[in-house]
Structure formats: structure tokens, C-alpha cells
């Protein structure tokens, strides 16, 4: 059911933007354009390396900020807060798990990627395994995932936020943001994207901190959060059901492996498999680390991003819970706000947000409109625009890199740098056109929780890719035949479950669950483990039944065959200075893991 954009919508905002709000939003866009132009002028945009990898001369702080901002799109703001409103704290595990795989990216994967002298991840796979079919498959899969999950989810979340907060027609507002985003992405390449991401990170964190402080002040502090959330029961419920009740384990990270909405077994193993795909093999993320001037800057960037990934628990998940808990009673005979965010009656959810299955996705924008005063409301709108722009710039640049370097160069092997750069810029325009054409589909989306939907899709498609990369890095015997058939077997099984999920969506509260057992009884995080194991087994079996790859083919491409004088051709500088900063990075990595483990134990 589509979101109603008409003025008759009872939930169209009564609060209008004031001059201060408009000034703040204008200043935000002006700063964005200024930083984009400045970074574009600094970088070499007329070479493939300069445009797609920022000349491999990025320092640690913009890399870390960009890694964080690229993953914290509008979809994550809306999705994490919505999942927090629906189920409590456990969804923060998706963010905290990133700590370990980000460290693996810098300490394990980046040395191999740089040693192999590649620009895209499919290019590494071709060098490691040989042949063209795996590289083409991964390129096409990555582009499809970018358009129909990453871009679509961010556009849907951004449109929902603009609609709830401003009542604007989201076609116009989304087109405006897309135009500004594409402008400096096309003009400046990766350097412009990374530096503007650093600006977005600052704006996002400042705005989210202000809203979080006001939200906790409104509810009476953290000590009252659990009690208030437990009482956040909708005024209208579906009889003889319990789906309207807040979860008893809402304040716990580790949940029952059989009955938990996010079982601890899936969050430990399945999530790690999916996170390895996203942080260590996905072009959007890895491209930032490949732009580092040396390994220490790549490591420091990962550490900074890991520290920032600890923040969404307080800045997104808990505010989502507070949004559900703030108005738990009837107000003058009208439905309270709890019935908007925490509604379970399909008719009431349809009225509140246009989706019968639930309205937890409106938790964050509702909080913004209720708590933020004039001026700060404009700042939060800028924050959400920053989140949307950051994510889209990253996806546009990386998708253009994939198409140009892996598909176009394959079709036209003699294409010069000028042609490749032109194609890279034109691809972004095509992506914008596809994204805008997809808006009506997004507007009619009725998935209950955007974040869970995104992870469910990932669990069906990413594990085979993770298996191929991990075995390629750590097992010298893996060959092209085994890798290809492992990907095909994983695709067949994963796509089958994905089709079933679209054919049999989760039923609304009170309806009988008629979904097949593979959906109803196997959590998507557990399915990711099974799919990873199946794909890995096919890779191993196929590799053992066929000849091993020649030694020359895997030189500098696996963990065991890296050159001793790695990285070849890198800017080593003063050896003692490099060694000192390497120790600093190592100490910070250990400290970071200790902090992460402490928080896991505290909220377990």
C-alpha cells in the first residue's frame, strides 16, 4: 500500500519549517557543495586511479569517517530506530559486529588487495581464480544489489522521513537530493565522496547526539527506559494475540536461539558471514580502504570507523525505543503516538504509515518532529539528508567503478582512460534514472522493518560470495571450477528462498502463518550459516576434483603467498616511523576489541 501524499493525511505534520530551519538546511547544502568542489580540485580526476581511488593518497581520518558514513545511510537511521522500537536493543549487534570484520579488512584483506594491484573486487577474483565468468557474475550481482537494495532502501527511507516531517511530495525532494549527490560524485570522483562523507559524519553525529539527549531527558534518563518501553502497549490490539506486547528480552543483546527474533547463534555466526561480505568484499566499502596512502592509514581508518560504529546503539536504537515509549496513554480520546509507532491493528497501521504490517519505521522521524525545536528541526532534516547523500554518493561512485572497470573494459579492452572516465560518469546518470523509476515500487513497499528486510535479502545472496573470497584468500588449493560452481549452487538455493519470501510475506498480527517451513522455522541468520557452509563445501569439493591452480597464478594473491617485501611500490617513508604507527594501530585495535567486549557483556 502506497504512502498517502495527500493533504488529507491525518498525520501530515502541523509543524512548519521556520526561517531558522531553512537557513540551516541551506547552509548544509552550501557546505556540501563547497567541500565537494575543494576536494575535487585537490584530487587528480583525469586518471583512472585518481578518479576511482583518489590517487591512493587518502589519510586515515577521512577514510574512517567515510567508512562510517557510507554504511549509515537514511535506511540505517530509519531501519535501526524502527527495529529498536519493534524489538529492543539486540539490533545494535549488527553495528557492533562490524568492529571485528573492519579490523579483518585492514589487517588481512587490504594487504592482499593492494598486493594484487586491483581496483575492484571482481578484478581480484579474476586474478585469483582466472577466467572471466566469476568476475562478470560478481560485477552484475553487485550492481543489481546496489540498485534494488542499497539505493532503493535509502530512497524509501529518505522519502518516508521527508513525508512524515515536512509533508512534501517525496518525488521532488528525492530528485533534488539525487541531483546534488550526483553533481559532485560525477565531477570529483572518490576524493569528493570521501571528503564530503567526513562532513556528513560530523553533521550526523552532532544532530543525532542532540536528539538523543532530548529524548532521554523527556523519558527521565536511561534508568527509566526499560520500564517505559515495557509499558508501551498500543491502545488498540488484536484480541487473543501477544504481538502487541513489547519483548521481555528487549534490553538484552543475546537472545534465545529458537524463540528470539535475533537469536544469539545467528547474530554470532550468520551475521559475521554477512558482515564479512559487506565490510571485506563489497566494492562500496573496500574502495575507501584501497585509497589509503599506506597500510597504517588503512588500519587507522578502520579503527576510527569501528569506534564510530559503537554509537548507533545510543544514537539510533535507543531513540527508536523511546519514540515508542514516550506517549503510552490516550490523549483527549484520540489515539496516542504509541499507536502510530507500535501499532498492530492493520487498519490503524495503514492509517498511520500506509503499511498494514507495522509502522516501526516512522519511529525516528516522529521523534524529530515531536522533540526538536525550531532550528534544530532543520538540523535533523539536514542530518537525514546527509545520511541519504553519503550513502548514495558511495554507491554511485563504486557502482560506476564496477561497471567501468569490470564490464565496459571487458567489452572494449582497448578503451583509453578518457573513454573509461566518461563511461564512469555516464553510468551514474543511468543509475539515477533507474533509481527514480523505482520510486513508485518503493512507495508501495509494505515491509514491516526496513533493516530486517535488508538483512534478509543479504542473507540469501551474500554467503556464497563470502565463501569464495575467504577460501580464495586462505586456501591455495581453491580453483576456478570449484569457485564458480560454489557460487552457482549458493545462488540457486539463496534465490529460491528469496523468491519464497516475496511470495509469502510475513502475516500481519493475528493472521495464521501459512509460510513454508523454510521461512517460518529457519531464521534468516541461521540460513546464512547453512548457505555459507553449502557453498564452501561445493567450492572445496569442486576444487579437489579438478587440477590445482598453478603457483604463478596465486603468487601475492593469498595470505600464504604474499611477497615478503609487501607492499610493492608503496610509500614506505621512514621505516622506524612506520613501525611506530603500526604499533599504535595494533594497541588501538586491542583497546577497541576490549571496549566492544565490555559493552557486549554489559548488555548481554
Amino acid at each position: 500500500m502506497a504512502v498517502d501524499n495527500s493533504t488529507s493525511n491525518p498525520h501530515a505534520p502541523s509543524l512548519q519549517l521556520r526561517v531558522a530551519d531553512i537557513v540551516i538546511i541551506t547552509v548544509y547544502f552550501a557546505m556540501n557543495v563547497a567541500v565537494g568542489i575543494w576536494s575535487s580540485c585537490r584530487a587528480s580526476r583525469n586518471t583512472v586511479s585518481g578518479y576511482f581511488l583518489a590517487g591512493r593518497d587518502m589519510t586515515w581520518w577521512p577514510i574512517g569517517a567515510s567508512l562510517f558514513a557510507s554504511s549509515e545511510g537514511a535506511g540505517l537511521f530509519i531501519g535501526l530506530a524502527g527495529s529498536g522500537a519493534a524489538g529492543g536493543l539486540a539490533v545494535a549487534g549488527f553495528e557492533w559486529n562490524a568492529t571485528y570484520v573492519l579490523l579483518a579488512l585492514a589487517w588481512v584483506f587490504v594487504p592482499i588487495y593492494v598486493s594484487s594491484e586491483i581496483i575492484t573486487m571482481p578484478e581480484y577474483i579474476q586474478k585469483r581464480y582466472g577466467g572471466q565468468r566469476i568476475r562478470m557474475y560478481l560485477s552484475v550481482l553487485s550492481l543489481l544489489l546496489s540498485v534494488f537494495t542499497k539505493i532503493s532502501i535509502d530512497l524509501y527511507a529518505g522519502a518516508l522521513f521527508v513525508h512524515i516531517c515536512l509533508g512534501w511530495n517525496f518525488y521532488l525532494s528525492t530528485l533534488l537530493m539525487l541531483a546534488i549527490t550526483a553533481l559532485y560524485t560525477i565531477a570529483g570522483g572518490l576524493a569528493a565522496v570521501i571528503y564530503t562523507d567526513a562532513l556528513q559524519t560530523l553533521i550526523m553525529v552532532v544532530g543525532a547526539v542532540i536528539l538523543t539527549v532530548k529524548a532521554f531527558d523527556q523519558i527521565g534518563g536511561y534508568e527509566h527506559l526499560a520500564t517505559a518501553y515495557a509499558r508501551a502497549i498500543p491502545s488498540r490490539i488484536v484480541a487473543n494475540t501477544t504481538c502487541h506486547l513489547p519483548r521481555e528480552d528487549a534490553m538484552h543483546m543475546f537472545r534465545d536461539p529458537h524463540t528470539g527474533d535475533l537469536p544469539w547463534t545467528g547474530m554470532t555466526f550468520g551475521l559475521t558471514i554477512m558482515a564479512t561480505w559487506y565490510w571485506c568484499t563489497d566494492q562500496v566499502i573496500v574502495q575507501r580502504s584501497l585509497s589509503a596512502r599506506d597500510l597504517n592509514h588503512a588500519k587507522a581508518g578502520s579503527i576510527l570507523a569501528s569506534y564510530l560504529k559503537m554509537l548507533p546503539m545510543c544514537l539510533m536504537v535507543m531513540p527508536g525505543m523511546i519514540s515508542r515509549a514516550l506517549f503510552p496513554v490516550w490523549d483527549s480520546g484520540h489515539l496516542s503516538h504509541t499507536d502510530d509507532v507500535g501499532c498492530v491493528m492493520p487498519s490503524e497501521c495503514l492509517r498511520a504509515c500506509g503499511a498494514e504490517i507495522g509502522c516501526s519505521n516512522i519511529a525516528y522521524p516522529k521523534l524529530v518532529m515531536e522533540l526538536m525545536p525550531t532550528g534544530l528541526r532543520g538540523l535533523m532534516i539536514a542530518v537525514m539528508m546527509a545520511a541519504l547523500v553519503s550513502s548514495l554518493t558511495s554507491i554511485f561512485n563504486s557502482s560506476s567503478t564496477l561497471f567501468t572497470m569490470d564490464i565496459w573494459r571487458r567489452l572494449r579492452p582497448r578503451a583509453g582512460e578518457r573513454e573509461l572516465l566518461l563511461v564512469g560518469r555516464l553510468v551514474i546518470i543511468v543509475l539515477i534514472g533507474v533509481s527514480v523509476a523505482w520510486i513508485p515500487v518503493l512507495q508501495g513497499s509494505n515491509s514491516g522493518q526496513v533493516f530486517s528486510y535488508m538483512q534478509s535479502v543479504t542473507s540469501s545472496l551474500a554467503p556464497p560470495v563470502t565463501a569464495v573470497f575467504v577460501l580464495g584468500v586462505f586456501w591455495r588449493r581453491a580453483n576456478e571450477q570449484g569457485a564458480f560452481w560454489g557460487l552457482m549452487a549458493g545462488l540457486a538455493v539463496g534465490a529460491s528462498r528469496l523468491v519464497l519470501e516475496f511470495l509469502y510475506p510475513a502475516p500481519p498480527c493475528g493472521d495464521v502463518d501459512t509460510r513454508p517451513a523454510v521461512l517460518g522455522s529457519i531464521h534468516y541468520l541461521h540460513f546464512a550459516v547453512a548457505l555459507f557452509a553449502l557453498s564452501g563445501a561445493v567450492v572445496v569439493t569442486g576444487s579437489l576434483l579438478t587440477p590445482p591452480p598453478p603457483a604463478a597464478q596465486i603468487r601475492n594473491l593469498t595470505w600464504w603467498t604474499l611477497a615478503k617485501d609487501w607492499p610493492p611500490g608503496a610509500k614506505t617513508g621512514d621505516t622506524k616511523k612506520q613501525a611506530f604507527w603500526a604499533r599504535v594501530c595494533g594497541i588501538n585495535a586491542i583497546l577497541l576489541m576490549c571496549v566492544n567486549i565490555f559493552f557486549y557483556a554489559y548488555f548481554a
Side-chain angles (χ1 to χ4, degrees):
M1 182 65 64
V3 176
D4 184 9
N5 283 318
S6 67
T7 55
S8 62
N9 190 334
H11 288 273
S14 59
L15 298 172
Q16 299 297 320
L17 287 184
R18 301 291 189 264
V19 174
D21 297 315
I22 297 174
V23 168
I24 288 177
I25 295 174
T26 303
V27 169
Y28 155 73
F29 276 114
M31 291 175 61
N32 237 353
V33 173
V35 171
I37 294 173
W38 170 79
S39 56
S40 298
C41 293
R42 292 182 75 250
S44 173
R45 297 166 293 153
N46 298 318
T47 65
V48 169
S49 176
Y51 186 79
F52 293 121
L53 290 179
R56 295 188 188 268
D57 195 36
M58 277 290 164
T59 54
W60 63 274
W61 64 269
I63 291 174
S66 185
L67 286 171
F68 174 74
S70 298
S71 65
E72 303 295 324
L76 210 60
F77 261 90
I78 298 292
L80 281 177
S83 293
L89 298 179
V91 71
F94 285 93
E95 299 296 283
W96 290 359
N97 183 272
T99 294
Y100 305 100
V101 286
L102 271 168
L103 296 181
L105 168 66
W107 265 263
V108 177
F109 287 88
V110 167
I112 295 171
Y113 294 152
V114 175
S115 175
S116 59
E117 299 180 334
I118 51 94
I119 293 179
T120 70
M121 296 302 96
E123 185 182 359
Y124 166 76
I125 285 295
Q126 182 194 11
K127 285 191 173 185
R128 169 61 182 85
Y129 289 108
Q132 287 284 346
R133 54 183 180 175
I134 299 180
R135 178 177 182 176
M136 290 296 292
Y137 167 75
L138 291 180
S139 299
V140 173
L141 179 65
S142 297
L143 286 171
L144 292 176
L145 284 172
S146 293
V147 171
F148 297 113
T149 60
K150 297 174 184 177
I151 297 177
S152 64
I153 288 173
D154 278 334
L155 286 179
Y156 172 78
L160 180 65
F161 182 85
V162 169
H163 174 70
I164 294 295
C165 291
L166 305 177
W168 292 357
N169 181 290
F170 63 59
Y171 287 93
L172 180 61
S173 55
T174 303
L175 281 171
L176 175 64
M177 287 184 284
L178 280 171
I180 294 175
T181 301
L183 181 63
Y184 63 77
T185 307
I186 292 173
L190 185 61
V193 171
I194 289 180
Y195 278 111
T196 48
D197 276 354
L199 171 64
Q200 319 291 19
T201 298
L202 177 62
I203 296 174
M204 280 192 284
V205 171
V206 169
V209 166
I210 293 173
L211 180 60
T212 300
V213 170
K214 292 186 69 66
F216 274 109
D217 180 67
Q218 192 79 9
I219 205 173
Y222 173 76
E223 60 273 13
H224 295 106
L225 175 59
T227 304
Y229 183 79
R231 290 201 301 259
I233 300 173
S235 303
R236 297 188 63 183
I237 64 173
V238 179
N240 302 318
T241 65
T242 59
C243 51
H244 59 278
L245 297 174
R247 294 187 62 88
E248 294 181 358
D249 55 5
M251 300 303 293
H252 299 284
M253 294 291 293
F254 292 143
R255 299 183 176 177
D256 188 273
H258 301 291
T259 62
D261 59 332
L262 294 173
W264 73 265
T265 46
M267 293 293 284
T268 302
F269 302 107
L271 177 56
T272 300
I273 292 169
M274 294 156 58
T276 301
W277 165 78
Y278 181 77
W279 292 104
C280 299
T281 74
D282 186 59
Q283 184 69 27
V284 174
I285 298 300
V286 177
Q287 193 167 340
R288 275 127 195 82
S289 293
L290 291 182
S291 69
R293 62 176 51 172
D294 59 39
L295 182 58
N296 286 335
H297 281 277
K299 290 179 178 179
S302 285
I303 291 170
L304 174 60
S306 295
Y307 277 119
L308 292 173
K309 294 296 281 185
M310 300 296 292
L311 298 178
M313 163 73 94
C314 295
L315 301 186
M316 300 175 196
V317 179
M318 289 183 179
M321 298 174 67
I322 293 173
S323 181
R324 173 171 176 162
L326 269 181
F327 308 98
V329 295
W330 288 67
D331 180 18
S332 303
H334 294 87
L335 286 174
S336 68
H337 286 270
T338 301
D339 288 75
D340 286 344
V341 177
C343 66
V344 292
M345 290 284 290
S347 59
E348 294 306 315
C349 293
L350 192 62
R351 172 197 58 79
C353 68
E356 293 184 351
I357 202 170
C359 289
S360 59
N361 290 330
I362 68 174
Y364 203 83
K366 282 297 243 184
L367 204 62
V368 170
M369 294 308 295
E370 294 294 337
L371 296 188
M372 298 298 264
T374 299
L376 291 181
R377 194 179 306 126
L379 175 64
M380 287 309 301
I381 292 171
V383 166
M384 294 306 298
M385 289 180 176
L388 176 63
V389 169
S390 292
S391 182
L392 289 178
T393 54
S394 303
I395 296 166
F396 285 154
N397 183 265
S398 298
S399 297
S400 109
T401 305
L402 276 175
F403 182 87
T404 304
M405 305 308 294
D406 291 330
I407 297 178
W408 187 260
R409 200 161 62 172
R410 168 67 175 165
L411 297 175
R412 288 181 55 82
R414 296 184 180 180
E417 284 204 342
R418 184 174 181 180
E419 179 180 335
L420 293 176
L421 292 171
L422 177 62
V423 170
R425 292 177 168 108
L426 291 176
V427 166
I428 297 175
I429 297 176
V430 174
L431 288 175
I432 293 173
V434 175
S435 303
V436 173
W438 196 247
I439 289 178
V441 180
L442 308 176
Q443 193 178 8
S445 172
N446 65 347
S447 57
Q449 298 180 44
V450 168
F451 193 75
S452 295
Y453 162 79
M454 176 172 59
Q455 299 299 335
S456 179
V457 172
T458 302
S459 71
S460 298
L461 298 176
V465 180
T466 305
V468 167
F469 269 90
V470 170
L471 287 171
V473 167
F474 292 108
W475 191 40
R476 288 179 286 188
R477 184 64 173 76
N479 64 18
E480 195 272 347
Q481 292 91 335
F484 177 77
W485 292 111
L487 285 173
M488 293 301 101
L491 175 64
V493 176
S496 298
R497 177 184 169 103
L498 197 57
V499 170
L500 289 176
E501 286 188 346
F502 281 106
L503 294 177
Y504 300 95
C509 180
D511 287 9
V512 178
D513 191 348
T514 59
R515 294 179 297 169
V518 70
L519 298 180
S521 59
I522 302 178
H523 195 278
Y524 65 83
L525 289 171
H526 291 153
F527 179 77
V529 178
L531 187 58
F532 176 82
L534 170 67
S535 303
V538 173
V539 174
V540 171
T541 303
S543 297
L544 292 176
L545 293 176
T546 51
Q553 183 179 314
I554 61 174
R555 185 177 297 118
N556 294 335
L557 297 175
T558 74
W559 181 251
W560 315 110
T561 59
L562 279 179
K564 294 182 179 180
D565 59 343
W566 187 94
K571 304 169 184 177
T572 55
D574 184 358
T575 304
K576 292 183 178 179
K577 185 177 180 180
Q578 291 285 323
F580 170 77
W581 287 114
R583 287 193 296 271
V584 170
C585 290
I587 293 171
N588 271 278
I590 295 173
L591 177 62
L592 173 64
M593 287 190 287
C594 291
V595 171
N596 186 278
I597 292 171
F598 169 79
F599 277 108
Y600 261 117
Y602 183 83
F603 289 103

